[in-house]
């Protein structure tokens, strides 16, 4: 079946046409990065307005692909949550309009669950999904950090989740602490790579939360903050000692690199170790790392070095938010929605009646 997917849960306006949950006919993403950059984070009101401006053009482009038109589309899939409520509403109401006008079924999708289905879009995966299952998936993005055991489409067990910040959020905050460009994740990774081989990364703590598959990054973030202040206090004195306010010296580039590497090492160590342990405990046939942070090479290498089953990591354009994964999820696990479907900003796996957490 050919499905048109629509995604507007955060700061990407996206539409995609996907065949049988696996074959990408079109995958259009309009990033709002430039609109939010100067604020150092996503501004919900701006996000909603940008979605309104972009959604028609993005969908038209997705429908402009070769060899298909509206008469070939079998359903419209849209993200119901979790996400920013105003942003979600744009996509949901747009999808309802399309569904009504084109007389097509409307399918509602959980955005976090959909990240897992990005694995089936790589083109190299067998269908049906059974050969990969059970699969342990690590979903790491700016809004989520969850470790999930997938037994079959629609049948999951959430093994652990973050108790505070999401992994990507921690990267973004540490990027800001280090004075790096937004978003922090790619910046921290880039700078960490510049650490000379003969210089040790900063030593930062790991929150193991023994006996659980949960995660916590707030202690690491605070430890990083202390290290930044300490390093700045010990750095060269400011050029103008009479300057008011922040009188500490800026960090030297090598100090920034050492802290970025130490922070990244800590995050990767905990994520990879817990993913590998879960894969063993639940006899997984494969593991997956999905979501924006999956773009991090150190994380991919760290996971590859500790798991002994197949590792699936979608290409970067499918790891970050996109509508292809929304259409894929709707194909493998269709949830029919009525016109009274509302956005659910805090939709969790267990809130959805058909999911078993
Ligand atoms: O999945 P995504 O596009 O949006 C959300 O659903 O949040 O993920 C974006 C997050 C941001 O926090 C960004 O800093 C992080 O993914 N990210 C990275 C990297 N690339 C993106 N984090 C670490 N290393 C990267 N290379
Ligand atoms: Zn996401």
């Amino acid at each position: 079946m050919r499905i048109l997917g629509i995604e507007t849960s955060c700061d990407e306006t996206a539409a995609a046409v996907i065949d049988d949950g696996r074959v990408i006919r079109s995958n259009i993403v309009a990033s709002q990065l430039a609109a939010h950059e100067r604020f150092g984070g996503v501004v919900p009101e701006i996000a909603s307005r940008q979605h309104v401006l972009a959604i028609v053009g993005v969908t038209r482009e997705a429908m402009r692909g070769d060899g298909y038109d509206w008469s070939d589309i079998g359903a419209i899939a849209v993200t119901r949550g979790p996400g920013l409520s105003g942003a979600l509403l744009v996509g949901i109401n747009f999808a309802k309009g399309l569904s009504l006008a084109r007389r097509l079924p409307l399918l509602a999708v959980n955005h976090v669950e959909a990240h897992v289905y990005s694995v089936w879009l790589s083109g190299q995966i067998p269908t049906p999904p059974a050969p990969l299952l059970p699969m342990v998936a690590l979903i790491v993005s700016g809004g989520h950090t969850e470790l999930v055991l997938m037994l079959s489409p629609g049948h999951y067990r959430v093994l652990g989740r973050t108790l505070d910040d999401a992994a990507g959020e921690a990267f973004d905050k540490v990027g800001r602490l280090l004075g790096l460009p937004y978003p922090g994740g790619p910046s921290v990774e880039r700078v960490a790579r510049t650490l000379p081989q003969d210089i040790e990364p900063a030593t930062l703590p790991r929150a193991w939360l023994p006996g659980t598959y949960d995660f916590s990054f707030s202690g690491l973030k605070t430890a990083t903050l202390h290290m930044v202040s300490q390093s700045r206090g010990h750095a060269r004195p400011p050029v103008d000692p009479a300057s008011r306010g922040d009188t500490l010296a800026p960090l030297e580039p090598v100090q920034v690199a050492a802290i970025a590497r130490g922070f990244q090492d800590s995050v990767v160590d905990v994520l990879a170790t817990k993913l590998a342990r879960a894969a063993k405990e639940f006899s997984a046939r494969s593991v997956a790392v999905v979501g924006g942070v999956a773009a991090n090479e150190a994380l991919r290498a760290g996971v590859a070095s500790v798991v002994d089953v197949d590792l699936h990591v979608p290409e970067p354009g499918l790891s970050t938010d996109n509508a292809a994964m929304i259409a894929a999820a709707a194909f493998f696990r269709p949830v029919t929605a009525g016109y009274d479907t509302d956005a659910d900003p805090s939709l969790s796996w267990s809130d959805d009646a058909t999911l078993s957490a």
Side-chain angles (χ1 to χ4, degrees):
M1 174 159 64
R2 185 162 292 161
I3 297 181
L4 169 66
I6 307 273
E7 152 67 32
T8 63
S9 68
C10 190
D11 60 343
E12 258 99 28
T13 315
V17 175
I18 304 298
D19 289 352
D20 297 337
R22 291 188 340 127
V23 181
I24 301 175
R25 304 302 299 253
S26 65
N27 184 21
I28 310 297
V29 180
S31 170
Q32 302 180 357
L33 202 66
H36 300 285
E37 204 165 14
R38 67 195 166 106
F39 301 103
V42 177
V43 182
E45 191 67 28
I46 294 175
S48 311
R49 292 179 62 89
Q50 293 289 322
H51 286 309
V52 170
L53 294 175
I55 188 96
V56 173
V58 164
T59 306
R60 277 216 174 109
E61 208 175 326
M63 286 302 301
R64 209 172 280 144
D66 257 358
Y68 61 89
D69 60 25
W70 280 106
S71 62
D72 301 312
I73 301 289
I76 313 270
V78 67
T79 306
R80 178 159 78 94
L84 302 169
S85 58
L88 288 163
L89 278 173
V90 176
I92 291 172
N93 286 308
F94 184 70
K96 281 182 192 172
L98 286 179
S99 148
L100 200 58
R102 299 282 173 184
R103 296 201 173 86
L104 289 167
L106 182 67
L107 304 171
V109 175
N110 176 315
H111 174 96
V112 184
E113 182 187 358
H115 268 296
V116 176
Y117 290 88
S118 57
V119 164
W120 276 271
L121 290 164
S122 71
Q124 296 140 12
I125 302 291
T127 188
L132 302 192
L133 305 176
M135 178 171 85
V136 176
L138 174 67
I139 305 156
V140 268
S141 72
H144 313 283
T145 300
E146 300 193 4
L147 195 62
V148 173
L149 175 67
M150 178 178 181
L151 298 162
S152 66
H155 189 198
Y156 318 90
R157 216 172 119 191
V158 179
L159 305 175
R161 48 166 53 105
T162 182
L163 304 181
D164 37 61
D165 290 346
E169 191 181 359
F171 266 100
D172 292 340
K173 286 178 179 168
V174 165
R176 211 172 308 148
L177 273 179
L178 294 173
L180 301 173
Y182 170 84
S187 302
V188 167
E189 178 172 27
R190 184 172 28 80
V191 168
R193 218 177 281 136
T194 65
L195 186 69
Q197 288 212 333
D198 57 339
I199 297 187
E200 287 292 306
T203 307
L204 287 160
R206 280 117 173 95
W208 289 111
L209 309 180
T212 75
Y213 285 114
D214 288 332
F215 304 97
S216 167
F217 298 106
S218 68
L220 170 62
K221 199 182 59 196
T222 309
T224 309
L225 172 65
H226 286 150
M227 182 157 285
V228 168
S229 319
Q230 228 174 25
S231 307
R232 292 184 66 197
H234 294 152
R236 65 187 155 73
V239 180
D240 174 13
S243 66
R244 288 166 186 270
D246 186 358
T247 57
L248 294 176
L251 291 173
E252 302 288 347
V254 70
Q255 291 177 303
V256 174
I259 296 173
R261 247 298 286 287
F263 166 80
Q264 182 174 268
D265 285 355
S266 169
V267 174
V268 168
D269 193 8
V270 175
L271 292 176
T273 304
K274 292 209 169 194
L275 174 56
R277 195 180 300 154
K280 203 159 239 149
E281 181 178 345
F282 296 99
S283 306
R285 287 169 95 174
S286 67
V287 297
V289 182
V290 299
V293 185
N296 187 289
E297 266 181 48
L299 175 61
R300 297 205 298 260
V303 170
S305 70
V306 292
V307 296
D308 44 20
V309 290
D310 281 350
L311 164 65
H312 303 285
V313 184
E315 64 190 68
L318 295 170
S319 295
T320 48
D321 285 352
N322 64 84
M325 68 184 194
I326 302 302
F331 172 77
F332 287 110
R333 203 179 76 80
V335 177
T336 307
Y339 292 121
D340 57 348
T341 298
D342 199 2
D344 189 343
S346 52
L347 179 69
S348 78
W349 298 72
S350 50
D351 288 340
D352 189 326
T354 58
L355 295 170
S356 63

